[in-house]
Amino acid sequence: MSERINSLVVIDVHGSECSLSDLECLSAAFTVAAQNDGQVAVLALIDPEIDVDLNIAPMLISKGADKVFWASKENLAEHDLGSYVQVVSEAIEKVEPKAVFLTHNNFGADLAPRVAFRSRSAMVTSTQAVSFEDKGEMLLTRVCYGGRAEQVIKPATPTVVVTLREKVFEPLEDNEERIGEVSELGVQTLSPRVELLEQNREEQKGVRLENANVVVSGGRGVGGPDGFEQLKELAECLNGALGASRVACDLGWVPHSWQVGLSGKTVSPDLYFAVGISGASHHLAGCGSAKMIVAINTDQDAPIFSAAKYGVVGDYSELVPALVAEFKKIV
Ligand SMILES: Cc1cc2nc3c(=O)[nH]c(=O)nc-3n(C[C@H](O)[C@H](O)[C@H](O)COP(=O)(O)OP(=O)(O)OC[C@H]3O[C@@H](n4cnc5c(N)ncnc54)[C@H](O)[C@@H]3O)c2cc1C
């Protein structure tokens, strides 16, 4: 089996649906497998109450998986990734993939280095393209220096663990005629290393930041939580999501889950508004691959203007309401 399967996707399924980014990983894995005349395996980590055969496995197969290994999250602890490392490592040993794909989100970025270390594999994070040399060797392109440079990497280990940026691969079209195999992967129960005392989940409202086509982000220049109310109006009229710089989050103006950047989320929208954000490389690391950045800043020398396609020098509190009024006329 191992000589044919050459890519593995790790999907942490919440409820009974996979996210768009998981299907994008599946599409990337399919590209690698097709190049090597091989197959795609998925390791789906499933909530205990979900029946994998009902819709998850058929959906994954129709979207490119040849084999679906699944493991119940009953014995996996989200706050103690050791158990996840264990089950992913078992899947790697089983299928000996050429590439293991995870989404470049908090979960993927946390898990990937541990899995790579355990399997003594190379790791490439924040990948935004997969290509092949003439001899079929895989090349991975990742952004670095806050989106100002790209690295092209040729892995030198039999397996490479890859975290994939969102929205760089299109999910494959559904193919209901595809046939695949489904089997359970036993999870070895590990003794917990930490005890979870409390967990508060933030309620998800509106468009998910990572999936949004339009993101309106605010920084210190927005002046406080009230400033974000104005940005909310702009985001709402473009069906966009709100984001923020680290400073705005650290000051407690908005939740940390809104943070875009090196130590926050990576977004690749079609349109990214950077409002009152100076454009530090740490921030650009999270939005540098947006198709278009529009910057609003009072300082004409702010670094954000060199990353922006369009820039307006001025006070956001005058410009944002004017933009909202104009967009409301046409959208
Ligand atoms: C290891 C590390 C990781 C980091 N990770 C991140 C990260 O993930 N994300 C992140 O964002 N940062 C991150 N940072 C912090 C980063 O270096 C910057 O400090 C931060 O991005 C600056 O935030 P800002 O642009 O909101 O604030 P500032 O740099 O203070 O910029 C505020 C801007 O607002 C403009 N302004 C002021 N008033 C107005 C107005 N009325 N209208 C319009 N514009 C106005 C100013 O001209 C200025 O350019 C990290 C730093 C480190 C060291």
Side-chain angles (χ1 to χ4, degrees), residues 56-274:
I56 292 172
M59 192 263 291
L60 291 171
I61 291 167
S62 78
K63 289 279 190 192
D66 297 297
K67 290 186 191 293
V68 177
F69 297 102
W70 66 274
S72 168
K73 284 196 264 184
E74 194 172 7
N75 296 320
L76 300 177
E78 213 178 305
H79 55 278
D80 180 3
L81 279 180
S83 51
Y84 280 81
V85 174
Q86 179 74 22
V87 69
V88 176
S89 303
E90 276 175 32
I92 291 176
E93 268 178 37
K94 204 173 177 68
V95 303
E96 295 175 16
K98 199 172 182 69
V100 180
F101 287 96
L102 298 107
T103 300
H104 188 83
N105 53 17
N106 287 346
F107 175 75
D110 225 2
L111 191 58
R114 298 166 197 238
V115 167
F117 181 77
R118 175 77 73 91
S119 61
R120 299 188 183 280
S121 303
M123 179 182 75
V124 180
T125 55
S126 207
T127 303
Q128 61 169 16
V130 180
S131 55
F132 301 92
E133 280 185 326
D134 292 344
K135 287 187 219 144
E137 295 290 333
M138 181 171 51
L139 301 176
L140 298 156
T141 305
R142 69 185 294 272
V143 279
C144 54
Y145 303 126
R148 285 158 198 259
E150 280 184 357
Q151 290 173 333
V152 180
I153 294 169
K154 180 154 85 171
T157 50
T159 297
V160 57
V161 179
V162 179
T163 66
L164 194 70
R165 277 188 167 225
E166 302 197 31
K167 298 178 107 185
V168 296
F169 270 83
E170 282 284 320
L172 298 177
E173 293 285 320
D174 281 337
N175 180 351
E176 306 291 342
E177 283 166 19
R178 293 192 87 254
I179 296 170
E181 288 171 28
V182 183
S183 54
E184 184 175 0
L185 200 67
V187 179
Q188 194 191 327
T189 314
L190 298 178
S191 17
R193 292 176 300 182
V194 289
E195 187 186 347
L196 181 67
L197 298 180
E198 194 182 328
Q199 178 163 281
N200 299 308
R201 279 197 191 274
E202 197 185 310
E203 200 188 326
Q204 170 73 45
K205 288 188 205 137
V207 191
R208 229 180 117 232
L209 179 56
E210 298 92 319
N211 291 346
N213 287 327
V214 178
V215 173
V216 180
S217 279
R220 196 201 304 263
V222 157
D226 291 348
F228 276 90
E229 286 302 315
Q230 292 194 36
L231 303 194
K232 190 173 163 203
E233 272 200 66
L234 180 57
E236 276 174 0
C237 72
L238 296 172
N239 195 27
L242 282 163
S245 73
R246 175 157 143 180
V247 170
C249 299
D250 285 351
L251 287 168
W253 298 349
V254 292
H256 275 285
S257 58
W258 292 18
Q259 185 182 321
V260 172
L262 189 67
S263 46
K265 289 185 175 159
T266 303
V267 296
S268 309
D270 294 336
L271 180 57
Y272 186 85
F273 284 93

Side-chain angles (χ1 to χ4, degrees), residues 218-223 244-248 250 253 259-265 272 274-286 296-304 312-319:
R220 196 201 304 263
V222 157
S245 73
R246 175 157 143 180
V247 170
D250 285 351
W253 298 349
Q259 185 182 321
V260 172
L262 189 67
S263 46
K265 289 185 175 159
Y272 186 85
V275 184
I277 291 177
S278 57
S281 62
H282 302 112
H283 184 79
L284 291 171
I296 298 177
N297 200 300
T298 43
D299 175 7
Q300 62 175 6
D301 297 323
I304 190 70
V312 189
V313 178
D315 189 330
Y316 87 92
S317 62
E318 291 166 16
L319 291 163

